[in-house]
């Protein structure tokens, strides 16, 4: 029997009450409830374990989301996030299609909303969107019938990155509550920093921002964090250091005198790390600028660096997101017999 | 000889004199002939019963980006000052004359253009102020591209002084504002929007106030958006500098939180600022530091608004909502009725040297009949103008224009 999909407008259907994830989309970590965050992290944890097993969970998860269509719509260049979403979707059996600016008709002058409506007419089940403008993903989410995952919008949010960071920390430290976590680098232009701040503070971690004042929002204290301009003070006694990439492509105007000076004062080295806790965890969302924000020997420190694990957790978190956001469709997908 | 018309049984409010009394107003042709407050209406006059409603001068809107005749009449705007950044920049006498002629021909709202202050609004060479002035330009501005070179600004003002021309300078330091489009504060930090600090406004006001002092020219700041901006104006006025300023209803009603959820309909330039700033602006209007209230009308199509915040056009279609929004501040006793009306009629008229905005004998018979108490809700379906982009959708307000009279002729009327 073919399930009836016509006229089903997801945006008109309220999420069933009592759900552990009472949202249609994942647009950001702002405003998420700790129980919701925990639910997503727990689900991702399960996928992380499966991904580590010999068959990468193939037998258990075979075709869990088979028949569902995932479109990755990337208006901004990305390699690792896009691949991570593709792998996550395929591991769950989804039909995954990726579209980047180079191949899309945005170049031919089509407006953002027209692109969204065109894709919507093809009836995807999940849209994964990255866009260079803050709020663009939220705008698109209002115009489509399917679940939308924000894969990064401007300086606003990059929620899956925050979830994979949180999962990595939780696996290494066993908890999030009570940890002191320093985020260092170009905070003002960073969507990763924003998503992490909301998520980590919601889970009861203490977040510090450590950066030169030109790379911090002027009202950073309003974000519920402690602000430091000096690495030695900022890293003192922390459990986790999260380095951000210096986004040189966003640097219009004079934010810094030189990369050399930046590394001298704010680059993460073993010496600066000495004031942190002994078992400090070093993280970086990538791609790294070695010798600019992080010294190679820190990045490659087997005991402290969790950078590779972050990438690994990325796939697990994205599998969890795809799974959770399509809960109401999974029944339909299996009814269709997953003929593909 | 034109027919004598009597607008009787009215509450006559004349912001120019501050008088508020019952009576009848007499007009002949496009001029006001006089008021009858206790006496007989001349025999033979064509009478209209105002049914006790307010009869006052039509609004003089000192800043509009477009001419929207239907919207203006419905909003009680009878004189509209057009910004020079039209499709072709108004920087010579020919386009000024064309706009004046077209306005006379079309009837309806009287349009007076501002001219560009510098050629092509490039901020380099002074535009032909004198000839534009002769053709009917009422002031000179480079719109949202304020003259940033202080030397050019000084020469511009020195030259303008010679003609007693008014220079209007948008208060925003362009370098400091950078690519910003939202108030630099908690909301822009959280939503990841590029911010503009309040200092960008204050720096521009303070520099240009000094140049006004140096040159003796008249300076007008079209839109003040912040508390510190109001303080800078006040300080300049206290020094005796010839400076005036305005603001728009949206700055008196909304703050940065209106952008929450990426509502581009609340994107304006300068940006909506903090609650503290909003309250200070209302006080500024109440105490007269802010001289005028303009609509800052800018109709935008959905196509240019339904975009990510950074790309969306800034602007609010506000001709029709200006009066009611200001009246709601009068109703809540934040601003005195007469002060509010002066800010929208007689004060802009006197700054610009126009013969409107008053009920004096000989003034233009541009009038509105208004009931300040009529409740209505701002909604797309009731707005008459071409564009409906408003962040005030569904907001209940009080006060409606019942009739708009331009040049002695009733051009808009609701029953």
């Amino acid at each position: 029997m073919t399930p009836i999909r016509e006229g089903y407008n997801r945006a008109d259907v309220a999420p069933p009450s009592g759900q552990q994830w009472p949202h249609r989309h994942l647009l950001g970590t702002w405003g998420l409830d700790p129980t919701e965050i925990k639910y997503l992290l727990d689900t991702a944890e399960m996928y992380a374990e499966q991904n580590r097993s010999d068959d990468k969970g193939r037998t258990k998860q075979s075709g869990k989301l088979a028949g569902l269509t995932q479109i990755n719509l990337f208006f901004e260049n990305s390699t690792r996030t896009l691949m991570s979403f593709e792998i996550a979707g395929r591991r769950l059996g989804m039909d995954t299609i990726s579209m980047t600016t180079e191949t899309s008709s945005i170049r031919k002058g089509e407006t953002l909303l027209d692109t969204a409506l065109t894709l919507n007419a093809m009836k995807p089940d999940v849209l994964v969107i990255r866009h260079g403008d803050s709020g663009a993903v939220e705008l698109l989410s209002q115009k489509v019938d399917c679940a939308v995952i924000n894969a990064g919008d401007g300086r606003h949010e990059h929620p899956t990155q925050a979830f994979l960071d949180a999962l990595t920390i939780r696996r290494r430290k066993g908890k999030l509550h009570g940890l002191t976590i320093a985020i260092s680098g170009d905070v003002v232009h960073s969507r990763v920093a924003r998503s992490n701040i909301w998520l980590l503070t919601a889970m009861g971690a203490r977040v510090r921002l450590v950066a030169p004042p030109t790379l911090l929002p002027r009202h950073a204290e309003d974000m519920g964090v402690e602000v430091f301009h000096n690495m030695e003070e900022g890293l003192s006694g922390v459990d986790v250091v999260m380095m951000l990439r210096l986004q040189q492509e966003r640097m219009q105007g004079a934010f810094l005198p030189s990369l050399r000076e930046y590394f001298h004062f704010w680059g993460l080295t073993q010496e600066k790390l000495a004031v942190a806790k002994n078992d400090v965890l070093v993280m970086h969302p990538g791609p790294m600028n070695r010798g600019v924000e992080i010294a190679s020997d820190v990045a490659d420190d087997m005991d402290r660096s969790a950078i590779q694990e972050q990438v690994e957790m990325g796939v697990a978190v994205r599998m969890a997101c795809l799974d959770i956001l399509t809960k109401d469709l999974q029944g339909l997908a299996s009814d269709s017999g997953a003929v593909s | 000889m034109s027919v004598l018309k009597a607008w009787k049984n009215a509450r006559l409010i004349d912001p120019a004199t501050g008088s508020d009394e019952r009576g009848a107003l007499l007009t002949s042709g496009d001029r006001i002939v006089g008021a009858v407050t206790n006496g007989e209406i001349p025999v033979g006059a064509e009478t209209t019963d105002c049914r006790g409603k307010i009869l006052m001068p039509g609004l003089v809107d000192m800043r509009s980006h477009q001419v929207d005749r239907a919207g203006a009449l419905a909003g009680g705007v009878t004189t509209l000052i057009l910004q020079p950044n039209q499709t072709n920049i108004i920087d010579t006498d020919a386009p000024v004359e064309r706009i004046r002629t077209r306005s006379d021909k079309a009837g309806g709202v009287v349009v007076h253009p501002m001219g560009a202050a510098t050629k092509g609004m490039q901020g380099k060479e002074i535009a032909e102020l004198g000839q534009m002035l002769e053709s009917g330009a009422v002031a000179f501005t480079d719109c949202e591209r304020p003259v940033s070179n202080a030397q050019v600004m000084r020469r511009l003002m020195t030259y303008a002084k010679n003609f007693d021309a008014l220079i209007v300078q948008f208060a925003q330091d362009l370098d400091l504002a950078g690519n910003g489009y939202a108030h630099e504060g908690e909301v822009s930090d959280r939503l990841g929007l590029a911010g503009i600090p309040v200092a960008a406004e204050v720096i521009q006001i303070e520099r240009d106030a000094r140049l006004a002092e140096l040159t003796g020219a008249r300076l007008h700041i079209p839109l003040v958006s912040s508390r510190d901006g109001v303080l800078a104006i006040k300080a300049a006025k206290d020094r005796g500098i010839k400076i005036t300023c305005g603001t728009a209803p949206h700055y008196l009603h909304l703050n940065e939180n209106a952008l929450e959820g990426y509502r581009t309909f609340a994107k304006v330039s300068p940006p909506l600022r903090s609650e503290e700033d909003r309250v200070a602006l209302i006080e500024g209007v109440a105490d007269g530091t802010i001289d005028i209230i303009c609509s800052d009308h800018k109709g935008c199509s959905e196509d240019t608004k339904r975009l990510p915040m950074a790309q969306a056009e800034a602007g609010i279609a506000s001709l029709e909502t200006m009066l009611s929004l200001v009246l709601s501040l009068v109703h809540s006793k934040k601003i005195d009725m007469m002060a509010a009306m002066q800010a929208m009629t007689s004060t802009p008229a006197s700054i610009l040297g126009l013969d409107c905005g008053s009920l004096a004998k000989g003034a233009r018979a541009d009038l509105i009949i208004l009931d300040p108490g009529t409740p209505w809700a701002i909604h797309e379906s009731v707005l008459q103008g071409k564009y409906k982009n408003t962040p005030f959708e569904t907001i209940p307000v009080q006060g409606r224009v019942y009739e708009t009279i331009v040049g002695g002729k009733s051009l808009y009327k609701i029953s």
Side-chain angles (χ1 to χ4, degrees):
Chain A
M1 193 189 87
T2 321
I4 299 161
R5 300 289 293 277
E6 216 54 52
Y8 174 77
N9 187 347
R10 200 180 158 89
D12 292 342
V13 183
S17 58
Q19 256 196 16
Q20 284 168 292
W21 185 261
H23 308 283
R24 289 185 202 96
H25 309 297
L26 177 64
L27 301 176
T29 59
W30 169 262
L32 289 182
D33 191 274
T35 57
E36 295 157 20
I37 294 170
K38 185 168 176 297
Y39 170 57
L40 202 153
L41 289 177
D42 290 346
T43 310
E45 180 90 47
M46 176 194 83
Y47 282 116
E49 289 309 319
Q50 282 180 15
N51 284 339
R52 279 198 175 176
S53 69
D54 289 341
D55 69 344
K56 302 196 191 79
R58 256 181 236 114
T59 39
K60 264 192 178 167
Q61 291 303 331
S62 173
K64 184 170 186 186
L65 303 186
L68 297 185
T69 308
Q70 169 197 0
I71 299 184
N72 302 319
L73 184 55
F74 277 55
F75 294 97
E76 214 180 54
N77 284 333
S78 156
T79 319
R80 67 179 63 209
T81 308
L82 178 57
M83 280 187 61
S84 184
F85 269 111
E86 278 190 10
I87 291 168
R90 286 185 185 166
R91 241 173 232 177
L92 291 167
M94 295 181 89
D95 300 320
T96 302
I97 295 141
S98 294
M99 194 167 129
T100 54
T101 341
E102 283 71 30
T103 54
S104 78
S105 42
I106 286 280
R107 287 222 163 163
K108 298 171 196 157
E110 188 175 68
T111 67
L112 187 58
L113 288 184
D114 285 338
T115 305
L117 293 175
T118 306
L119 290 178
N120 193 44
M122 299 177 192
K123 306 233 177 289
D125 299 293
V126 180
L127 260 179
V128 178
I129 307 172
R130 168 170 287 193
H131 196 282
D133 285 322
S134 304
V137 177
E138 186 169 334
L139 178 70
L140 288 174
S141 76
Q142 294 159 2
K143 300 289 165 187
V144 297
D145 300 335
C146 65
V148 171
I149 298 176
N150 181 358
D153 62 328
R155 311 172 176 188
H156 178 222
E157 287 234 36
H158 189 357
T160 56
Q161 179 71 42
F163 274 106
L164 73 89
D165 288 340
L167 182 61
T168 309
I169 298 170
R170 203 177 71 165
R171 284 168 64 94
R172 287 285 192 104
K173 300 285 179 190
K175 60 173 183 179
L176 293 168
H177 188 272
L179 295 179
T180 304
I181 299 167
I183 301 178
S184 172
D186 183 3
V187 175
V188 71
H189 296 113
S190 175
R191 52 195 174 211
V192 175
R194 283 180 177 76
S195 286
N196 264 310
I197 291 167
W198 313 137
L199 191 152
L200 293 170
T201 50
M203 297 307 281
R206 292 176 59 183
V207 176
R208 297 177 178 180
L209 301 180
V210 193
T214 47
L215 295 182
L216 284 170
R218 192 156 69 94
H219 304 274
E221 289 86 356
D222 292 352
M223 296 174 144
V225 296
E226 293 169 87
V227 176
F228 295 87
H229 302 308
N230 174 309
M231 286 293 260
E232 193 163 28
E233 290 168 20
L235 298 190
S236 168
V238 298
D239 297 286
V240 180
V241 184
M242 237 180 235
M243 297 307 292
L244 299 173
R245 194 163 72 90
L246 202 58
Q247 302 195 324
Q248 292 166 54
E249 73 267 21
R250 293 205 182 155
M251 291 262 179
Q252 320 179 358
F255 285 88
L256 295 169
S258 72
L259 296 180
R260 196 175 77 105
E261 176 148 325
Y262 181 78
F263 185 70
H264 178 70
F265 287 106
W266 292 281
L268 191 65
T269 59
Q270 294 287 9
E271 297 81 64
K272 289 188 189 124
L273 212 48
V275 295
K277 288 210 177 122
N278 276 336
D279 61 345
V280 65
L281 194 63
V282 175
M283 302 172 73
H284 194 298
M288 279 184 282
N289 298 312
R290 286 170 186 262
V292 176
E293 71 257 354
I294 189 163
S296 277
D297 60 338
V298 178
D300 300 335
D301 186 333
M302 294 290 277
D303 300 325
R304 290 171 156 182
S305 167
I307 295 170
Q308 294 310 313
E309 196 174 337
Q310 283 176 278
V311 179
E312 185 191 343
M313 290 308 123
V315 175
V317 158
R318 281 151 192 147
M319 288 171 83
C321 292
L322 292 169
D323 181 3
I324 287 170
L325 288 172
T326 55
K327 283 283 185 220
D328 60 333
L329 299 175
Q330 285 170 26
L332 289 176
S334 58
D335 282 350
S336 70
V339 281
S340 54
Chain B
M1 183 71 192
S2 304
V3 186
L4 189 67
K5 289 185 187 172
W7 309 83
K8 66 169 189 182
N9 193 14
R11 177 181 162 196
L12 299 174
I13 290 187
D14 186 358
T17 60
S19 72
D20 179 353
E21 51 196 348
R22 306 202 71 84
L25 192 76
L26 304 177
T27 66
S28 172
D30 66 353
R31 296 287 147 178
I32 292 169
V33 177
V36 182
T37 47
N38 41 21
E40 291 293 307
I41 293 165
V43 181
E46 195 179 288
T47 58
T48 304
D49 190 348
C50 298
R51 295 183 200 170
K53 296 193 176 69
I54 291 174
L55 181 68
M56 60 172 278
L59 306 188
V60 179
D61 180 9
M62 201 162 160
R63 182 182 167 89
S64 177
H65 297 266
Q66 297 138 350
V67 178
D68 184 338
R69 293 179 194 282
L73 290 178
V77 174
T78 54
T79 306
L80 181 148
I81 312 303
L82 186 65
Q83 291 282 290
N85 57 344
Q86 302 302 307
T87 317
N88 295 315
I89 292 169
I90 305 172
D91 62 351
T92 56
D93 51 358
V96 172
E97 245 170 70
R98 195 174 64 233
I99 286 164
R100 290 294 305 125
T101 315
R102 193 186 295 165
S103 164
D104 288 345
K105 253 193 199 158
V109 56
V110 180
V111 181
H112 295 280
M114 284 192 192
T118 64
K119 284 178 190 153
M121 303 199 319
Q122 295 295 309
K124 292 186 183 124
E125 300 164 77
I126 303 171
E128 296 166 347
L129 306 192
Q131 292 190 65
M132 280 194 274
L133 209 55
E134 275 188 348
S135 305
V138 288
F140 301 94
T141 181
D142 275 2
C143 302
E144 271 112 294
R145 292 209 44 81
V147 180
S148 59
N149 184 319
Q151 181 70 280
V152 174
M153 188 65 181
R154 179 195 176 171
R155 291 195 179 127
L156 172 70
M157 292 178 91
T158 308
Y159 189 74
K161 167 86 166 70
N162 184 42
F163 293 97
D164 193 30
L166 179 70
I167 297 297
V168 178
Q169 176 88 309
F170 187 77
Q172 188 156 292
D173 183 293
L174 292 181
D175 293 323
L176 190 52
N179 57 3
Y181 48 83
H183 170 62
E184 185 177 284
E186 189 272 328
V187 174
S188 67
D189 281 351
R190 175 155 48 79
L191 297 182
L193 307 176
I196 302 175
V198 168
E201 176 167 298
V202 181
I203 287 171
Q204 194 74 42
I205 292 173
E206 287 177 345
R207 187 201 77 170
D208 292 329
R210 291 285 163 175
L211 291 175
E213 189 174 30
L214 179 67
T215 58
R218 293 192 294 138
L219 176 67
H220 178 77
I221 306 296
L223 293 170
V224 179
S225 70
S226 67
R227 185 197 64 177
D228 290 359
V230 176
L231 292 177
I233 296 280
K234 190 162 172 26
K237 285 186 168 180
D238 289 346
R239 283 173 69 90
I241 297 167
K242 287 187 243 170
I243 188 170
T244 53
C245 73
T247 193
H250 29 275
Y251 299 104
L252 304 175
H253 277 275
L254 302 174
N255 61 25
E256 55 181 336
N257 291 317
L259 293 179
E260 202 76 58
Y262 297 98
R263 282 191 294 263
T264 53
F265 282 62
K267 182 182 178 184
V268 285
S269 174
L272 297 171
R273 298 202 180 271
S274 71
E275 177 61 11
E276 191 186 33
D277 292 313
R278 184 187 77 87
V279 171
L281 288 170
I282 293 175
E283 283 165 12
V285 173
D287 70 17
T289 307
I290 296 176
D291 305 87
I292 66 126
I293 300 173
C294 58
S295 74
D296 188 30
H297 168 88
K298 190 172 180 191
C300 307
S301 72
E302 297 238 327
D303 294 342
T304 60
K305 273 290 188 190
R306 301 232 184 259
L307 288 172
M309 192 66 81
Q311 296 169 27
E313 203 176 341
I316 293 177
S318 50
L319 282 168
E320 284 171 83
T321 53
M322 167 163 70
L323 183 56
S324 302
L325 289 171
V326 172
L327 278 171
S328 68
L329 296 169
V330 172
H331 292 308
S332 57
K333 307 214 183 322
K334 302 264 173 44
I335 304 174
D336 171 61
M337 173 85 160
M338 194 58 76
M341 294 310 173
Q342 282 165 347
M344 293 187 289
T345 57
S346 56
T347 312
S350 89
I351 290 173
L352 296 165
L354 299 172
D355 58 348
C356 56
S358 126
L359 296 185
K361 189 177 171 187
R364 274 188 62 92
D366 296 341
L367 306 163
I368 52 175
I369 296 173
L370 166 76
D371 179 354
T374 307
W376 63 292
I378 296 171
H379 191 271
E380 208 178 290
S381 62
V382 295
L383 296 179
Q384 307 282 319
K386 186 173 175 199
Y387 293 106
K388 327 272 187 193
N389 53 303
T390 174
F392 297 104
E393 180 86 6
T394 73
I395 300 274
V397 286
Q398 266 182 293
R400 271 214 100 158
V401 173
Y402 277 78
E403 194 164 343
T404 305
I405 299 138
V406 182
K409 284 185 213 139
S410 172
L411 297 180
Y412 169 84
K413 195 170 184 176
I414 55 172
S415 46

